[in-house]
Structures are given as C-alpha cells and as structure tokens.
Amino acid sequence: INAEYGTDPKMPLPFDELRHTEQDVGLEDLYGDQLNATREEIKSWSLRDDDNDASVRRQNLDMSPEPMFGARVFLNPRPTLPLGDSVLKINGDDIIACRVNYYHFDFVQALARIILVYILFVTVLLLWTAIRWLRGIKEELDDTSANHIFFGEMFHAVGAYLLLAVGSFLVLGRATRLGRMGALTAMSNVQGHHFMFSYLGTQYQSLCGNLSSMLASQGFHVWMDAYRLENACSASQAHHHAARTSAYRVLCLSQAFTESHQFNFTVIPALEMHERNTTVVHADWNHDPWARSPEGRQAIAAFRLEGFVVTTSVEELVKALDAIVMSNENHISAWWRTTKLAPVYGLTPPSDSIRVTCCRESRYSITGKLCLPERSISSGLHYITADGTETGPVLVVPSVAIIGVCVLLWGAWSFASPFVNGKSPYFTFWWIFSAFTMSATPSLFQLSDARFSHSPALLPVLLARDELVRSHAELVLVGSHSGLLRMQALRDFLAELGISFSTCSVDSLKQMKPNYFYCFHIETVEEAAIYGERFAGVSTEQQLLSCILPSEWDDEDCAMLMIMYSAVISGDSFVHNFLDTLGCKLTLFLHCREMAVDVQAAEMARVEAELDDAAEAEMIAIEPSHKKEELPEEHTAEL
C-alpha cells in the first residue's frame, strides 16, 4: 500500500525525510522499557482461549454508529475519494460523506448541483422582477419569454436526467463496489471485528468516528473504545484482545497516545503479527505539531522500519483503508475462516438486489436471447430456466453507455448551438446545466456492464466462488447417468461462472473425502438406499442432497428418508432452491475450521517443498564450481 500511494508530494514533509537512515531505530529501541513492562503484566493475566472468551459473546455487534449524511458533500468542489462502496470528501481534517453508493454518486452530485443552480437562477429573476415592480416599471414579459426564462433551462436539464435515471437506476438497480472483505461479510457475519481504531484524545475522535460509521454502513464490524468498552471488562485487556483478534488495526499516533498504557497493549499484538501490513499507523502531519517534531518523526520512522503501513495525511489514510477493503489478499479469507460465525448467519436478503461483477470477465454479449423465459435466472451474460431444463447466452445491448454518448452529444450541441444559430448572447445558463449533466456520464459508463444485471438469487454462488478457489476446495456431483444428464444444464450454467463439478456415481463413492463438497442428486430407490446406508447424517456440512419427488416411489422407507434429508426437490423452482441452498451450504463448508487448518497446513507444506527444491537446485548449480576449485592441478587438463 505504501508503494502504491507513497506520500503526497504537496505535503510540507518531504518523503525523503521519512526514508530509512542509519540513525533510524525500531520500536523496541524507542519504547523498549515500557513495552517490556507491559509484556510482564500481560503474562500475569489468566487469559482464556478466544473461543471461550465471554467478552466476545457479550459484545453487541450492531452497536456501530449510524453513517452520517450531509448534502454539502455534493456541493463541495473537492475531489472525491472512494472507501469501499462509499464516497467521501476531505475538508481539512474533517470528512464529509453520504449514503449514496459509489457508482451512483456522480449522478446524484450532478443532479444536486443543477437543482441548486436553478434555485439560485429563479431567485435572482424573482428579485429582479420585484425590484422592477417597486420602481414602477410595469413592462410585462410575454408568455414565450417567461417560459424560456423560468422553465426552458430546467426542461433541458430534467429531460437529460430522465434518460440518465432510466439508464442507471431503473435498469441496473444497485451496483456494488465489492472487495474480498465485503464479499465474505455478505456471505455471513462473524463474531469478530474487521477493524480496530485506537486513538487518544479529541483530536482523532471525529476522524475515527466518521470512518467507522462509513465502514459500519457497509456491514463491517469496527472496534472503538468509545462504544466497545464494557463496565465489567478491563480496559487494558479489552484493547489487547481487540488488537489480537481484529483483522486490521488503525493506530492514530499522538504524544498522549504514545505515553499511555493503551499504546503498549495495542502495539505489542501488532508487533507479534506475522503480516505487518495489517496494521495502519496514522500521524496527522498537517494538523498535529507533535508529528512534525523530532520525537514525532522518530516515532513515524520507527513504525515504518517495523514494516507497518504509515500514513501522514487524511487522504493517505482513506486510500490505505480503501486498498484494504478492496484487496484480494488471503489474510482476510484466513481470518474469516478462523473466526466464529455469528449466531444468526446467512446471506444478504435477495430483496436488497445487490449486484456484483465477481467471476465474470466479459462485459457484453452480442448473441443470445433478448426476452428471457419467465422466472429464469440470469448471470447477465447467460440464463437458465427455473426448472433447470434450458440454458444459453443472453443478448446484452449496452443501452446505458448509448445513453451516456447521447448525453455527451447533447451537451456538445448545447455549447455549439449559440454560435451555429448566431444567437447572442453566446453565453447562456444552458451551458451550466449541460456541464453538470455531462459530469454524470462517467457513472453511466461504469454501470454499463452486463455483469451488474445478474439475478439476486445468484449472489450467494457468486460470492462463494472465489473463496472456493482460495480454499482449494473441489465440488463433486454424485448421481446416476440419467440424473447427471438432467443436471447438465445447471452444470453448464455454473461452469460459465467458473464453478466446475467433477462427477461420480453413488455406488462408486465409498466415503467422502476432506476438502470436497458433494452434491447428491437421487432419482431411484436403489440410489436412495445406498445414500441412506453410507452418507445419511454423515458430515452434513460438506454435502447437499437433491432428489426428484419421492412420493411416487414404492418403497416408503426410502421415500421418507429422502423427505427427511433432502434440501432441494425437483420442480418448477428447482434452480432457485438449489442455488440458495448451495450458497448457504458453501458458506458453512468454507468456514469449517478443520478444513481451514488442513488446507493451510497442506499449503505450507507445498510452499516449503517448493523452497527446498529451489534451494537444492541452487546448490546443484553451485556444486560443480566448488569441485573444480578443489581438483589438483594435474587433473585439470584431464577434466
């Protein structure tokens, strides 16, 4: 993150002053005495295991503050900065933001500015008319002039924005800028905190509060001592526990913070972390005199020397947090798998219509069906019928991008028409409205993506697909030859999303292997009997059972067995039920702690084997040169 963003060249502090030098010292050299004293105190605690820590269960994960809303964010001329799916602007050391998501922000901002300019325009005209009336000037405007002055400019602006609204809001719904952390949070909440904000004093209170509000509005759990400390919990232990268990830590440096016990209990767990880039250290160079002092510079250099992510302005801090939210690092996946699921787990309700671009590369499709069958499920590029009997491509026309091009042409004509028609004055208010309207077109081109048009029922599988790859998990479809043929359309549809199934028959599968997820599809009494004997009630977290309607079977015991264990039964809504159940089952399967540990151990063994092979190859390459030096002179010519 530091390599990508660096530091702002306009900052008063040159970047060279923060580079490593021979005089730089680490945190142990700078704060060694107080850190060692704190370590001795930590050893005296009777720390319990994280799984049995009552303080975690007592915390209410919904206590995060509500996100702020300010209309001034649309009127502020400062550049926008993204933070996940939110957009904010920085005004000095203050952050202003709103609830409008990332992809629709440009549209709403342009609309708010048009409304403001038109209100000011009409107000000035009304004042001008009132002054003329008070002076006794009784000249009245004809209907054409009055309509042009009061309503003509608004008509052009509103007319263009009706096209924009059709393109961005009604067609595509809510498009979401989603990273790995957001995808895992949407899959299922966990009993842990994604971010920990640690600070001291009122200097950083507003900054941390606003950032935590924006992150909490996107579903992330944030730890702040302002609302996480409890009366029955030691503050020192609470800070230490939060720093150890949170996925990422944000430490706001100040003179009072570095001299407090809170600093020690927070920094020690950060130093023990293997991945140092999971801790962000912020020192406000522009507004904190201590950060510009020699002591502050030495502390900043020490944190940078330890490998932490160091930011010295609010802009850098926001960029660093956005890079974390949008990153695809394995750290957040490993943290999610090893953290307890929330008591009420589950996916985001499909009624929210969250749209993501996961797992698909193409943006458009120029072949396929334009009108899809009723209740079919679409990935934006392909569709499948609700009963799972037909699948194929979808014809996707980039209508939103076409609307954006039309708006740009309309705006260009509004600038050129006074000169073309020879109408003076050449400057009109139409230019202002056109400029604001054209400024909203970037959001149209971003939204003109077929991947945002997927059905809400597809969200669970889209979110779980990437985690399947990261967990090195495999999917197996188990059934008879006829059953596999019946499921072929669904397999082809999921294969377009990058989710592939291997196949086998029920009688050939003797037992389920670890790190495999099995989808059983039963169609006959014989298959049901084999399933009941070998797999019924065994490792239920790694299997999903579907079957045809068993009421027509002669064997009542097998029929009752399928009714009891089947999660999905074939019918008119088979695909809807299958995808919903598959998403929930995969969430539990991917979160399995034993699987996470085994996969991590296997992955570490593979990496160590590769390193050993590389080292052995290097030694073999070096060994002949050593042997050549050791040979006597009389054998050199012979060799």
Side-chain angles (χ1 to χ4, degrees):
I1 298 172
N2 277 332
E4 180 179 356
Y5 294 109
T7 54
D8 190 351
K10 299 180 180 179
M11 288 171 47
L13 173 64
F15 181 71
D16 292 337
E17 296 188 28
L18 289 179
R19 293 185 182 275
H20 301 324
T21 63
E22 294 181 358
Q23 291 78 23
D24 287 346
V25 295
L27 290 176
E28 296 292 346
D29 299 325
L30 196 60
Y31 303 105
D33 294 338
Q34 64 187 66
L35 292 179
N36 289 331
T38 303
R39 288 190 179 99
E40 294 299 326
E41 182 179 350
I42 292 174
K43 291 180 181 178
S44 65
W45 294 345
S46 56
L47 292 177
R48 293 169 292 180
D49 187 73
D50 294 342
D51 297 339
N52 300 322
D53 196 343
S55 63
V56 176
R57 293 197 299 269
R58 288 198 304 267
Q59 289 177 349
N60 183 4
L61 299 180
D62 298 326
M63 290 177 59
S64 301
E66 289 295 326
M68 76 296 293
F69 177 80
R72 58 183 178 136
V73 68
F74 303 119
L75 309 179
N76 193 300
R78 295 180 180 273
T80 58
L81 291 175
L83 181 57
D85 197 35
S86 302
V87 177
L88 58 85
K89 294 183 179 181
I90 299 174
N91 188 14
D93 60 344
D94 187 24
I95 289 179
I96 52 177
C98 65
R99 294 189 180 95
V100 179
N101 64 328
Y102 173 80
Y103 287 107
H104 294 104
F105 181 82
D106 290 337
F107 176 90
V108 178
Q109 178 176 256
L111 183 59
R113 291 177 175 179
I114 281 184
I115 293 174
L116 177 64
V117 171
Y118 187 76
I119 290 175
L120 295 176
F121 174 63
V122 173
T123 302
V124 171
L125 288 178
L126 291 176
L127 291 176
W128 175 73
T129 304
I131 292 173
R132 287 171 57 88
W133 182 79
L134 292 174
R135 289 183 176 182
I137 302 176
K138 302 297 184 180
E139 181 181 355
E140 296 183 358
L141 297 175
D142 54 19
D143 294 339
T144 303
S145 299
N147 182 68
H148 176 73
I149 292 175
F150 288 95
F151 301 103
E153 313 297 346
M154 182 181 68
F155 175 77
H156 293 296
V158 172
Y161 262 86
L162 287 176
L163 295 177
L164 293 176
V166 170
S168 60
F169 288 97
L170 303 181
V171 176
L172 297 178
R174 179 192 169 191
T176 307
R177 185 173 180 258
L178 199 66
R180 181 94 300 256
M181 185 184 297
L184 293 173
T185 303
M187 285 176 63
S188 182
N189 288 325
V190 293
Q191 295 191 58
H193 297 99
H194 298 90
F195 292 93
M196 174 196 181
F197 284 87
S198 185
Y199 66 94
L200 195 63
T202 59
Q203 176 183 353
Y204 293 108
Q205 184 175 2
S206 176
L207 173 66
C208 294
N210 290 336
L211 289 176
S212 67
S213 297
M214 296 187 66
L215 294 170
S217 66
Q218 301 178 50
F220 303 128
H221 300 153
V222 184
W223 193 97
M224 283 182 63
D225 53 10
Y227 55 90
R228 291 297 182 191
L229 294 182
E230 299 181 359
N231 295 331
C233 182
S234 168
S236 300
Q237 294 187 15
H239 284 100
H240 184 261
H241 181 269
R244 285 194 307 115
T245 58
S246 298
Y248 293 92
R249 288 148 295 280
V250 180
L251 312 181
C252 296
L253 291 185
S254 63
Q255 184 176 6
F257 180 73
T258 56
E259 296 174 354
S260 66
H261 291 287
Q262 177 180 339
F263 171 81
N264 303 330
F265 290 108
T266 307
V267 170
I268 289 176
L271 289 172
E272 296 172 353
M273 296 292 174
H274 176 69
E275 297 172 324
R276 295 292 179 87
N277 62 347
T278 59
T279 300
V280 180
V281 179
H282 175 64
D284 196 343
W285 177 266
N286 296 324
H287 303 93
D288 187 3
W290 176 83
R292 298 192 296 269
S293 66
E295 294 80 4
R297 295 185 184 185
Q298 193 175 24
I300 294 173
F303 275 101
R304 192 184 295 273
L305 186 63
E306 295 290 348
F308 297 116
V309 178
V310 178
T311 62
T312 54
S313 67
V314 180
E315 291 85 353
E316 289 183 6
L317 177 60
V318 173
K319 290 179 180 179
L321 292 177
D322 181 66
I324 289 173
V325 172
M326 298 303 298
S327 70
N328 288 318
E329 294 183 355
N330 290 328
H331 164 72
I332 184 61
S333 297
W335 176 85
W336 179 80
R337 288 197 300 265
T338 55
T339 307
K340 292 179 61 177
L341 284 174
V344 181
Y345 69 90
L347 292 147
T348 304
S351 58
D352 290 350
S353 301
I354 295 178
R355 311 296 175 91
V356 295
T357 59
C358 301
C359 314
R360 293 150 293 168
E361 299 297 334
S362 302
R363 295 170 60 95
Y364 308 110
S365 175
I366 58 176
T367 59
K369 281 191 175 183
L370 181 61
C371 299
L372 301 182
E374 185 179 1
R375 300 183 66 248
S376 61
I377 293 178
S378 171
S379 66
L381 301 171
H382 299 83
Y383 78 94
I384 184 171
T385 55
D387 56 1
T389 58
E390 179 186 354
T391 184
V394 178
L395 176 62
V396 180
V397 180
S399 57
V400 185
I402 295 174
I403 293 173
V405 173
C406 293
V407 172
L408 290 176
L409 295 176
W410 171 85
W413 170 250
S414 68
F415 281 93
S417 60
F419 301 96
V420 174
N421 298 325
K423 294 182 179 180
S424 60
Y426 296 114
F427 175 80
T428 65
F429 278 96
W430 194 6
W431 285 13
I432 300 177
F433 294 130
S434 300
F436 287 146
T437 305
M438 294 170 69
S439 67
T441 52
S443 63
L444 289 185
F445 290 106
Q446 288 179 327
L447 288 169
S448 184
D449 193 328
R451 295 172 293 179
F452 283 132
S453 301
H454 68 78
S455 303
L458 202 59
L459 178 64
V461 179
L462 289 175
L463 297 179
R465 181 262 180 188
D466 193 25
E467 195 62 24
L468 280 170
V469 177
R470 292 175 181 274
S471 300
H472 307 280
E474 297 186 23
L475 302 180
V476 181
L477 182 61
V478 184
S480 62
H481 179 70
S482 60
L484 296 178
L485 289 178
R486 192 185 302 273
M487 299 285 287
Q488 187 62 43
L490 182 58
R491 289 178 58 196
D492 294 341
F493 178 75
L494 293 176
E496 297 293 342
L497 304 178
I499 303 175
S500 300
F501 287 85
S502 58
T503 59
C504 70
S505 60
V506 180
D507 54 350
S508 63
L509 182 64
K510 304 303 180 183
Q511 62 180 1
M512 293 184 289
K513 301 178 181 179
N515 206 32
Y516 281 76
F517 186 85
Y518 296 87
C519 294
F520 293 91
H521 185 71
I522 306 300
E523 291 192 342
T524 63
V525 176
E526 292 76 11
E527 292 176 335
I530 296 175
Y531 176 85
E533 180 182 353
R534 299 178 184 176
F535 309 110
V538 178
S539 301
T540 56
E541 74 281 353
Q542 64 174 121
Q543 64 166 291
L544 183 154
L545 177 61
S546 63
C547 69
I548 63 174
L549 190 63
S551 59
E552 301 177 357
W553 292 354
D554 297 333
D555 192 329
E556 295 183 359
D557 294 337
C558 290
M560 184 58 64
L561 179 69
M562 290 296 100
I563 293 175
M564 291 174 58
Y565 285 94
S566 291
V568 184
I569 297 179
S570 299
D572 295 337
S573 302
F574 172 73
V575 175
H576 287 268
N577 298 332
F578 185 88
L579 292 178
D580 288 341
T581 308
L582 179 63
C584 294
K585 281 281 190 177
L586 286 179
T587 299
L588 294 175
F589 171 69
L590 294 170
H591 191 271
C592 179
R593 290 191 177 190
E594 291 76 13
M595 187 200 68
V597 173
D598 293 342
V599 171
Q600 186 178 9
E603 189 66 14
M604 288 297 295
R606 184 185 64 81
V607 173
E608 290 177 359
E610 291 179 356
L611 293 176
D612 293 341
D613 294 340
E616 184 178 353
E618 186 177 356
M619 291 298 297
I620 292 174
I622 297 175
E623 188 175 356
S625 62
H626 289 284
K627 288 183 178 180
K628 182 177 180 180
E629 294 175 359
E630 296 173 359
L631 286 174
E633 293 182 0
E634 58 270 16
H635 294 289
T636 304
E638 236 178 83
L639 179 63

